[in-house]
Amino acid sequence: MSAKSSKVSAQGVNPEAQVPVGQQIRELRRARGLTLTDMKEMTGRSVGNLSEMERGTSPITIEALDVIARALDVSINWFFSGTAVAAAEERDVIVRRSARREINLSQAGTREELLSPNLKGQLELILTTFSPGAGTGEAGRARKGEEGGLVLSGELELSVNGHTYVLEEGDSFQMRGIGKHWCHNPGEVDTVVVWAISPASY
């Protein structure tokens, strides 16, 4: 292993592997042999907007990333960035707080952190932080399996199959694998939610 590839930040993650989401989209699109015009037809978004997201000059929401991921034939999981560093005996069991992989959509006010050590099993754990006013987009995301969660702090406005609920710290929820949902932070402080998803197909 070269000296460059072995560098590890104080947070326990290889900084070389923390690639911006927009750059990952562009590289995967090119690897698929697709143009921005092709992506426009597949996602319903303008060439200009797609280009801005790839260059990091326009926010990427979870809703937008979901549509783009489907067009590129991957799940959102593909975009978790960073190579976590763990001792061999912990690698498939433990994720240290300092070594979580993440999808940082900070321009859209959202950060997703992977709490699962890998995506090989049937269960996936994710920690989501929504800034005030941020959310997944009201178009909704179609579920591929069962999802549940616990609001650790703040407020969460959750719409499940057309019914809207407001959850507070300590409230939990569960959704069957049929239908759509969206969520939003209606408060003035960050909302933090831990999600459990099965199968691991976020």
Side-chain angles (χ1 to χ4, degrees):
M1 180 181 293
S2 68
K4 180 177 180 181
S5 64
S6 64
K7 289 180 181 177
V8 176
S9 72
Q11 287 72 41
V13 175
N14 181 349
E16 308 287 344
Q18 295 183 15
V19 181
V21 175
Q23 182 179 331
Q24 292 182 70
I25 291 171
R26 182 176 63 244
E27 291 174 354
L28 182 57
R29 172 179 62 77
R30 290 176 174 174
R32 295 278 195 264
L34 298 170
T35 66
L36 286 171
T37 301
D38 294 330
M39 290 294 290
K40 172 187 173 182
E41 298 301 319
M42 299 168 75
T43 64
R45 293 180 173 270
S46 70
V47 168
N49 179 236
L50 290 165
S51 177
E52 289 172 354
M53 286 193 286
E54 288 188 355
R55 290 183 283 113
T57 60
S58 183
I60 304 172
T61 64
I62 288 293
E63 178 186 6
L65 188 59
D66 188 36
V67 171
I68 290 169
R70 290 172 187 268
L72 294 172
D73 196 29
V74 296
S75 70
I76 290 180
N77 286 335
W78 192 90
F79 296 97
F80 276 111
S81 184
T83 303
V85 176
E89 64 273 15
E90 293 187 354
R91 198 162 297 148
D92 292 327
V93 181
I94 304 296
V95 177
R96 298 294 179 183
R97 181 175 183 172
S98 61
R100 295 173 186 163
R101 296 165 58 197
E102 68 176 46
I103 301 176
N104 191 333
L105 305 175
S106 56
Q107 284 183 299
T110 303
R111 185 176 68 187
E112 305 274 21
E113 298 176 80
L114 184 63
L115 303 181
S116 300
N118 56 57
L119 298 170
K120 298 175 184 177
Q122 292 298 306
L123 179 65
E124 178 176 6
L125 296 176
I126 294 174
L127 186 71
T128 302
T129 302
F130 293 114
S131 298
T136 58
E138 293 187 7
R141 294 188 61 242
R143 292 187 295 282
K144 303 172 186 176
E146 292 198 24
E147 298 186 27
L150 171 67
V151 180
L152 298 182
S153 63
E155 293 179 272
L156 182 72
E157 183 180 14
L158 176 68
S159 178
V160 182
N161 303 334
H163 298 279
T164 301
Y165 314 88
V166 176
L167 293 84
E168 299 178 341
E169 180 179 330
D171 293 341
S172 57
F173 57 92
Q174 183 172 352
M175 301 175 287
R176 299 290 183 185
I178 298 173
K180 289 187 174 183
H181 71 277
W182 57 262
C183 52
H184 166 256
N185 176 3
E188 299 179 354
V189 298
D190 285 355
T191 294
V192 181
V193 184
V194 61
W195 297 80
I197 301 172
S198 180
S201 58
Y202 176 51

